[in-house]
Amino acid sequence: MLFSMDHWRHAFKLDPNKEISDKDLESVCESGTDGIIVGGTDDVTLPGVVDLVSRVKKYSVPCVLEVSSIDAISPEFDAYLIPMVLNSQDKQWMMDVQHEAIKQYKHFMSWKEMFFEGYCVMNEDAKAFTYTNCKLPTREDVLAYAYMAEHVFHLPYFYLEYSGMYGDPDLVYDVSSELGQTKLIYGGGIHTLAEAKEMSMYADMIVVGNAIYTNLTEALQTVRIKQQSF
Amino acid sequence: MLFSMDHWRHAFKLDPNKEISDKDLESVCESGTDGIIVGGTDDVTLPGVVDLVSRVKKYSVPCVLEVSSIDAISPEFDAYLIPMVLNSQDKQWMMDVQHEAIKQYKHFMSWKEMFFEGYCVMNEDAKAFTYTNCKLPTREDVLAYAYMAEHVFHLPYFYLEYSGMYGDPDLVYDVSSELGQTKLIYGGGIHTLAEAKEMSMYADMIVVGNAIYTNLTEALQTVRIKQQSF
């Protein structure tokens, strides 16, 4: 059966550059989350990625890599998420690094396990925002990006990334109304179950990242959105 | 029934900036071609486009607009082709002008009649090449662009545009081998039936443009590829 993330409602995002104890990692992997996303913006290195995935793979939870550097791709993941930064001002981050990767790896990798995601970075203070030279989009810009992700590019995922900052639920709602086939992923600033619930009302999947490292007990509670019916 | 160009094997491309007599236009429209594409690179104005489409619409041949300027879109066409220049060095020509158009017109237009095409401009001397700040791709680049058009962006068409120059049939063959669902359009330098035949062996659709204005008798012969079985 093909690997799919389409049913995921909750994911934890682990940063290969941040320390996490074996005990805490076990709590995360055994939390009941739908999957682990490994990803970070800067200094993502192959040894860091390999170390983290090998630790996660001790558990049965699916583990996918959000590729931020072509030099840090390890074959041990269940699948690979390839971000295309729609609100970058440089074509490089929208499609050229991806084009280069395809040129190099086309014959070696199983593209059935590659999922391209339309990425929209919503936080001007985020490293990813600066690194990929983004421009802060207006509400109308975001809705048109979502429209393109679905109707022009037919991407499986549209990722609204507030990266450390809790986003605007009204905008998440508007984007969700714009999308049909393309799944909406929300990430950024979710630290509590209440926040997780709010964003889950609109997003198909929520991603909890920083909270793992700041307040793990609260972070683990966010998985309970899966028990709720909305 | 929805409008489709998927069965087109031959199209004539008319430039709103070039003069064509009523008699010649009749020959083109009644030639048996599958359709007329109206398109040009510079100084495409709404009055020029409107004048040309109204003359073409006297005939039963389908007529589509290849949009090069958001200010020159007339509603009289059967469909609209939206180029996304994959080998431009600027994100602007790959997706930003299209994003702007979607923002403005999303609620007014029927997107069922909009076809986005992955465009690859192969002629350094072409106006379109300079205008959209293209970089000449290598063979491997082109194949990876074709791969992206199909597998990443799921675009209905991949347009290999040699713009006035007869292209490399081996590359057209290689690209056609790379594509499955996405249809390959070839354009550039076709002046004779022999050239039309050669490119038709690999491309799903060939486009004949300049020859209309330089040697119409020969240009009209290219429609005969439709009688051939390959």
Side-chain angles (χ1 to χ4, degrees):
Chain A
M1 213 179 78
L2 287 180
F3 183 86
S4 170
M5 296 168 51
D6 283 359
H7 62 286
W8 287 20
R9 302 213 32 232
H10 181 286
F12 279 123
K13 189 182 267 189
L14 293 173
D15 185 335
N17 273 338
K18 289 184 181 162
E19 300 272 333
I20 186 165
S21 68
D22 286 342
K23 185 172 152 290
D24 287 355
L25 188 68
E26 179 175 4
S27 305
V28 168
C29 292
E30 302 277 64
S31 64
T33 184
D34 293 307
I36 305 293
I37 299 172
V38 170
T41 298
D42 51 1
D43 294 330
V44 175
T45 62
L46 188 55
V49 167
V50 167
D51 177 62
L52 187 53
V53 68
S54 64
R55 291 172 68 201
V56 173
K57 292 305 274 181
K58 290 175 189 158
Y59 306 94
S60 61
V61 66
C63 187
V64 306
L65 177 67
E66 189 165 72
V67 178
S68 54
S69 164
I70 196 171
D71 301 322
I73 302 178
S74 138
E76 293 167 83
F77 289 88
D78 294 302
Y80 301 83
L81 280 167
I82 321 281
M84 320 196 78
V85 187
L86 302 179
N87 65 318
S88 171
Q89 297 176 88
D90 302 332
K91 180 166 171 269
Q92 179 185 4
W93 305 109
M94 195 277 150
M95 68 164 281
D96 287 353
V97 293
Q98 298 84 348
H99 177 249
E100 198 56 40
I102 286 171
K103 244 169 68 179
Q104 281 188 44
Y105 292 106
K106 191 151 59 99
H107 301 296
F108 302 102
M109 298 184 90
S110 165
W111 292 91
K112 298 265 185 284
E113 292 156 4
M114 296 266 154
F115 303 109
F116 289 82
E117 47 183 16
Y119 223 77
C120 202
V121 189
M122 302 298 293
N123 179 356
E124 288 181 294
D125 297 324
K127 281 179 190 166
F129 192 96
T130 313
Y131 187 69
T132 61
N133 192 22
C134 282
K135 187 178 173 190
L136 196 66
T138 64
R139 177 184 170 282
E140 294 307 317
D141 284 334
V142 175
L143 295 179
Y145 283 135
Y147 191 93
M148 291 186 88
E150 171 139 357
H151 296 284
V152 179
F153 299 133
H154 312 97
L155 296 172
Y157 303 107
F158 182 74
Y159 196 136
L160 210 54
E161 173 59 285
Y162 279 86
S163 200
M165 177 175 97
Y166 192 68
D168 173 5
D170 291 340
L171 182 59
V172 182
Y173 169 76
D174 289 344
V175 172
S176 77
S177 309
E178 191 71 50
L179 296 174
Q181 290 291 106
T182 298
K183 304 272 185 193
L184 173 57
I185 305 177
Y186 171 85
I190 295 180
H191 286 83
T192 65
L193 176 59
E195 289 165 343
K197 275 184 185 174
E198 182 171 52
M199 291 306 184
S200 295
M201 287 173 63
Y202 315 126
D204 295 291
M205 185 202 310
I206 60 160
V207 178
V208 177
N210 291 347
I212 299 167
Y213 303 98
T214 55
N215 188 335
L216 181 59
T217 310
E218 285 269 27
L220 292 170
Q221 289 296 310
T222 61
V223 180
R224 289 176 57 199
I225 57 148
K226 293 185 62 192
Q227 297 156 14
Q228 315 289 325
S229 30
F230 297 108
Chain B
M1 213 179 77
L2 287 178
F3 183 86
S4 171
M5 296 167 52
D6 283 359
H7 62 284
W8 287 20
R9 301 215 32 234
H10 182 284
F12 278 123
K13 190 182 268 189
L14 292 173
D15 186 336
N17 272 340
K18 288 183 182 163
E19 300 270 333
I20 186 166
S21 69
D22 286 340
K23 183 170 152 290
D24 287 356
L25 188 68
E26 180 175 5
S27 306
V28 168
C29 293
E30 302 277 63
S31 63
T33 184
D34 293 307
I36 305 292
I37 299 172
V38 170
T41 299
D42 51 3
D43 294 330
V44 175
T45 62
L46 188 56
V49 167
V50 167
D51 176 64
L52 186 52
V53 69
S54 65
R55 291 172 67 201
V56 172
K57 292 305 275 180
K58 290 175 190 158
Y59 305 94
S60 61
V61 67
C63 188
V64 305
L65 177 66
E66 188 166 69
V67 178
S68 54
S69 163
I70 196 171
D71 302 321
I73 301 179
S74 138
E76 292 168 83
F77 289 87
D78 294 300
Y80 301 83
L81 281 167
I82 321 280
M84 319 196 79
V85 187
L86 303 179
N87 65 319
S88 169
Q89 297 175 89
D90 302 333
K91 179 164 171 270
Q92 180 185 4
W93 305 109
M94 195 279 150
M95 67 164 280
D96 287 352
V97 293
Q98 298 83 349
H99 177 247
E100 198 56 41
I102 286 171
K103 244 169 68 180
Q104 283 189 42
Y105 292 106
K106 193 152 58 100
H107 302 296
F108 302 102
M109 298 184 90
S110 165
W111 293 90
K112 298 264 185 284
E113 292 157 3
M114 296 266 153
F115 303 108
F116 289 82
E117 48 183 16
Y119 223 75
C120 202
V121 190
M122 303 298 294
N123 179 356
E124 288 180 296
D125 298 325
K127 281 179 191 167
F129 191 97
T130 313
Y131 187 68
T132 60
N133 192 24
C134 282
K135 186 178 173 189
L136 196 66
T138 64
R139 176 183 171 282
E140 294 307 316
D141 284 334
V142 175
L143 295 180
Y145 283 135
Y147 190 93
M148 290 186 88
E150 171 139 357
H151 296 284
V152 179
F153 299 133
H154 312 99
L155 296 171
Y157 303 107
F158 182 75
Y159 196 134
L160 210 53
E161 174 59 284
Y162 279 86
S163 198
M165 175 175 96
Y166 192 67
D168 173 5
D170 291 339
L171 181 60
V172 181
Y173 169 76
D174 289 345
V175 172
S176 76
S177 310
E178 191 71 48
L179 296 173
Q181 290 290 107
T182 298
K183 303 273 185 193
L184 174 57
I185 304 178
Y186 171 86
I190 294 180
H191 286 84
T192 66
L193 177 58
E195 289 165 342
K197 276 185 185 173
E198 182 171 53
M199 291 306 185
S200 295
M201 286 173 64
Y202 315 126
D204 296 293
M205 186 202 309
I206 60 160
V207 178
V208 178
N210 291 347
I212 299 166
Y213 304 97
T214 55
N215 188 333
L216 181 59
T217 310
E218 285 269 28
L220 292 169
Q221 290 297 310
T222 61
V223 180
R224 288 177 56 202
I225 58 147
K226 293 186 61 191
Q227 297 157 13
Q228 316 289 323
S229 30
F230 297 106

